[in-house]
Amino acid sequence: MEQGITWEDRVKGAYASLRPSEQKVAEFFLAHAEELEDLTIGELARGAGVSEPTVIRCVRGLGYRGYREFKGALSQKEGQVRGNALDYLGGFALRPWERMGDLPLKAVRTHRAQLEETLKSVPTGELERAARILAGAQFIDIYGVENSCAPASDLLTKLTYLGLPCRFHTDAYLQQIGAAHLRPGAAAIAFSHSGKSMDTVKALRLAQKAGAVTIAVAGGEDPVLFRYADVALGVGGTAQTVYGKAIFSRVADLAVVDMLYMAVILSDYERFSHNLDHSGQVIADRDYPDQ
């Protein structure tokens, strides 16, 4: 648990949402922490190479009403109750003083960091292997619990549009029972952001034991899920915890689903482009006609 929030916590937590000129002030704060109490706002502005109004905007962006309140916080920890109010999720990078208008930028930057890490983590050779396994499988079983149901459900939709026989049970017990009844010729693919979800690991282990070819999509360090995977697709080892450790963003996992979808089509372009067109024709009459 946090023992209170210091002004340094505020600077580090809000840095990404500050304007470039305000970031210069924040950097000056951190680099000259021992001197700040003795500096006037004018001296600080000159030292950071910005105007005095920029300094004021920066401290307000950190949640202070003005420079005087900021200076008062330099020598003491603040708001233990406020600091711990969000700690129940652990690693929660959203702070009470952040500005509502900066949240879109914060979310997009978090997503971008996840996607860049995923790009480095997915080997194209493994992606091609996974696509060929899915394209040639007699049946495809998909596993994932809690928030991993999002990429699992998305993959189910995409593979169904491509005419591939697949299923996804939202109930973890049914996933495990279904996995135990698979046969050689089937494929199983599992999603776990941490790579250590006990129910998902068990389902993939049962699928491999039953003779299915297994694929794992996971993050975290040393994912347990990879131990039972014939093909492993990583989404990066660094957790982006702006949402809290209990609820991760699934942007990276969904990006891997899109990669798999495109790779499956590319593995037999004529077959799957035809199937995709056919699926579109089946539901073409479900759109409202143009008025």
Side-chain angles (χ1 to χ4, degrees):
M1 298 288 285
E2 292 180 352
Q3 298 301 313
I5 298 175
T6 66
W7 66 268
E8 290 101 328
D9 292 329
R10 292 200 181 203
V11 174
K12 294 172 184 177
Y15 182 85
S17 62
L18 297 175
R19 299 176 180 88
S21 59
E22 295 166 5
Q23 289 179 343
K24 291 175 66 176
V25 179
E27 291 165 0
F28 186 87
F29 285 163
L30 295 174
H32 299 83
E34 301 300 323
E35 310 165 27
L36 294 181
E37 289 188 67
D38 299 322
L39 296 179
T40 66
I41 189 171
E43 291 169 337
L44 195 154
R46 286 192 296 275
V50 299
S51 65
E52 291 185 20
T54 299
V55 175
I56 294 172
R57 285 196 302 269
C58 178
V59 296
R60 286 178 177 170
L62 300 178
Y64 300 101
R65 286 172 293 186
Y67 186 64
R68 180 177 296 180
E69 183 176 352
F70 170 71
K71 289 199 70 173
L74 292 176
S75 60
Q76 60 186 0
K77 290 187 175 181
E78 319 166 50
Q80 183 164 342
V81 174
R82 292 179 66 195
N84 289 337
L86 297 178
D87 194 53
Y88 64 92
L89 283 178
F92 204 69
L94 187 66
R95 301 300 186 181
W97 57 81
E98 298 203 53
R99 296 175 293 193
M100 191 69 68
D102 293 324
L103 295 187
L105 178 61
K106 187 179 184 75
V108 169
R109 283 178 170 169
T110 301
H111 293 166
R112 183 174 63 189
Q114 288 180 301
L115 292 172
E116 288 175 349
E117 191 166 354
T118 301
L119 187 61
K120 301 173 185 176
S121 304
V122 178
T124 54
E126 291 292 274
L127 181 65
E128 182 177 2
R129 282 187 63 203
R132 294 194 180 281
I133 289 168
L134 295 175
Q138 297 173 11
F139 182 77
I140 302 166
D141 220 3
I142 306 172
Y143 314 131
V145 298
E146 294 185 325
N147 224 22
S148 285
C149 287
S153 179
D154 191 39
L155 182 64
L156 175 73
T157 299
K158 287 179 166 64
L159 296 184
T160 301
Y161 265 78
L162 295 180
L164 292 171
C166 52
R167 76 178 170 201
F168 166 57
H169 291 298
T170 55
D171 184 276
Y173 289 176
L174 292 180
Q175 290 180 23
Q176 295 164 20
I177 292 169
H181 287 285
L182 294 177
R183 294 291 182 268
I189 179 168
F191 294 86
S192 172
H193 191 87
S194 67
K196 299 176 182 178
S197 173
M198 189 173 294
D199 283 318
T200 306
V201 169
K202 182 180 178 182
L204 197 66
R205 175 171 55 82
L206 288 169
Q208 189 177 63
K209 184 178 180 181
V213 183
T214 55
I215 303 168
V217 180
E221 297 181 3
D222 188 25
V224 178
L225 198 63
F226 283 178
R227 300 176 192 175
Y228 305 101
D230 298 303
V231 178
L233 300 174
V235 296
T238 303
Q240 300 290 334
T241 58
V242 65
Y243 306 96
K245 291 181 180 177
I247 305 174
F248 290 98
S249 170
R250 288 302 185 267
V251 168
D253 310 68
L254 290 168
V256 173
V257 170
D258 284 344
M259 293 176 197
L260 284 169
Y261 175 62
M262 291 186 284
V264 168
I265 294 174
L266 200 58
S267 71
D268 190 339
Y269 195 87
E270 184 175 355
R271 170 191 171 191
F272 290 115
S273 61
H274 171 78
N275 287 355
L276 189 57
D277 286 342
H278 182 59
S279 297
Q281 291 169 10
V282 169
I283 59 173
D285 63 340
R286 307 322 300 159
D287 286 338
Y288 278 103
D290 294 334
Q291 299 297 321

